[in-house]
Structures are given as C-alpha cells and as structure tokens.
Amino acid sequence: MKGIVFVELIRMAETAIGEDAVDQILDQCNLSTDGAYSTVGNYPCSELMQLVEALSNHTGTPQQELQRLFGKWMHEHFVHSYPAFFVDKPDALAMLAAIEDEVHVEVRKLYPDAELPRFETERMGSDALRLTYRSPRPLTDFCQGLVEGCVDHFGQPAEIRRESLPNSEEHACAFTVNLRG
C-alpha cells in the first residue's frame, strides 16, 4: 500500500487522541518501519490492519467504524490535495463514476507500482448509481467511508446501501447511492 494511507491514518489518530498516545501505540506495534512512513513508500497492508486494530483497542472504536471514519478523512485529504478532480463534477455520482477511468488513470501515471482496488459503476437513472468495489485488501469499510465522504462533500442528501458480494479471492461489495432532493 502507498505510504500516504499510513501517514494520513497516523495524522487522523494524532488529531483524535494526540501525538503522545499515537507514539505509545506505535511503540507497542511490531511494525517493519517502527511507525515511520513516507507518503510515496510502499508498505504491507497487514501493517495498516495492525495499526487499525491497535487504534481500535486504544480508543474503543470498533475497527469497522474506525476504517469508515478514516475513509471519510481520506476523502477530505483528496479534496484538498487534488481539487482538480472535483471541479467539473456536478454531484457525488459523477465523482464516483470517475474513480476508475479518471482518478485511477492519473494515480497510475504518478505511481505505476500502485496496487489499486477496482471500481465498476452502473448508472441506475439520473439520481442513482451502483458502485462495485473489489480489492485483495480487507478495506470495504474504508471504501464505505470514502463513498460517504464523497456524498458529504457535494452536500446533497443521499441514501447509501451496501451489499457484500461473495468472492473467495478478494473483498468485494457494492454500494447503491440514491440522491434525494
């Protein structure tokens, strides 16, 4: 996984519980980097999961909820770091539909070694979209937070339904996003 994910998780944790608490948590984890991550480095997803578990244990926040909150945090990071992706999008559905064919194309140019999840979209009318997420990593809750963050960013109320998809080789789920009002 790209280091930016690790850097932002630590930044979110420091904001929530303070640097000293995060340093203690990092000291307790058996990390190959001792908790020092570069935004452009590559690190094992298992370390991210170890950090999520340790933060969950420290805060009492369930791991799934922590991943979801982190997804919303990362969405805000993307909005501030890559505003050009959002400028011409009229709503959350347009943004979600652009992930695979626009955003990931640009990410691959910058980071050819990035192992990105796959997204498939299907328009289900002018106010609805089905987004299917597939990844070898157990980050479906993180993805849900990204979807929720996207909807929040555009400020239009929406109903988001999540459906787990059976697959023995990867983590997969589908989100149906229905805009309201």
Side-chain angles (χ1 to χ4, degrees):
M1 291 195 73
K2 280 306 201 193
I4 187 64
V5 177
F6 292 82
V7 169
E8 287 301 315
L9 177 61
I10 291 170
R11 186 173 293 152
M12 182 184 88
E14 288 174 345
T15 301
I17 62 174
E19 288 181 33
D20 290 341
V22 171
D23 286 343
Q24 288 176 356
I25 292 167
L26 291 173
D27 288 343
Q28 294 169 1
C29 292
N30 183 21
L31 304 170
S32 66
T33 63
D34 293 325
Y37 298 100
S38 158
T39 58
V40 296
N42 289 310
Y43 307 97
C45 183
S46 59
E47 284 199 15
L48 182 73
M49 302 317 295
Q50 186 180 358
L51 289 170
V52 168
E53 181 180 3
L55 290 167
S56 172
N57 291 339
H58 180 85
T59 63
T61 305
Q63 291 182 44
Q64 295 86 355
E65 177 67 6
L66 192 58
Q67 276 197 40
R68 192 183 67 75
L69 293 170
F70 180 47
K72 291 178 88 166
W73 173 279
M74 278 303 294
H75 187 274
E76 280 304 306
H77 169 76
F78 294 147
V79 169
H80 294 293
S81 298
Y82 307 100
F85 285 126
F86 298 87
V87 171
D88 65 342
K89 306 299 184 291
D91 59 29
L93 302 183
M95 185 67 232
L96 293 170
I99 294 171
E100 189 67 33
D101 295 332
E102 264 182 64
V103 176
H104 280 181
V105 167
E106 294 303 317
V107 171
R108 284 185 186 96
K109 288 179 187 175
L110 294 172
Y111 307 106
D113 60 338
E115 297 174 12
L116 302 171
R118 292 184 326 278
F119 291 93
E120 302 159 13
T121 57
E122 176 187 354
R123 278 289 189 158
M124 302 170 68
S126 61
D127 292 339
L129 176 92
R130 180 178 168 95
L131 175 74
T132 303
Y133 164 85
R134 298 180 193 282
S135 174
R137 299 180 184 99
L139 297 172
T140 54
D141 296 305
F142 173 74
C143 184
Q144 180 173 340
L146 286 168
V147 171
E148 291 172 0
C150 184
V151 167
D152 291 347
H153 170 75
F154 285 93
Q156 188 169 12
E159 175 189 359
I160 302 169
R161 289 189 321 269
R162 175 175 157 180
E163 170 191 356
S164 294
L165 301 175
N167 190 313
S168 61
E169 296 178 18
E170 60 188 1
H171 301 272
C173 64
F175 300 94
T176 302
V177 182
N178 290 293
L179 299 180
R180 296 181 298 205

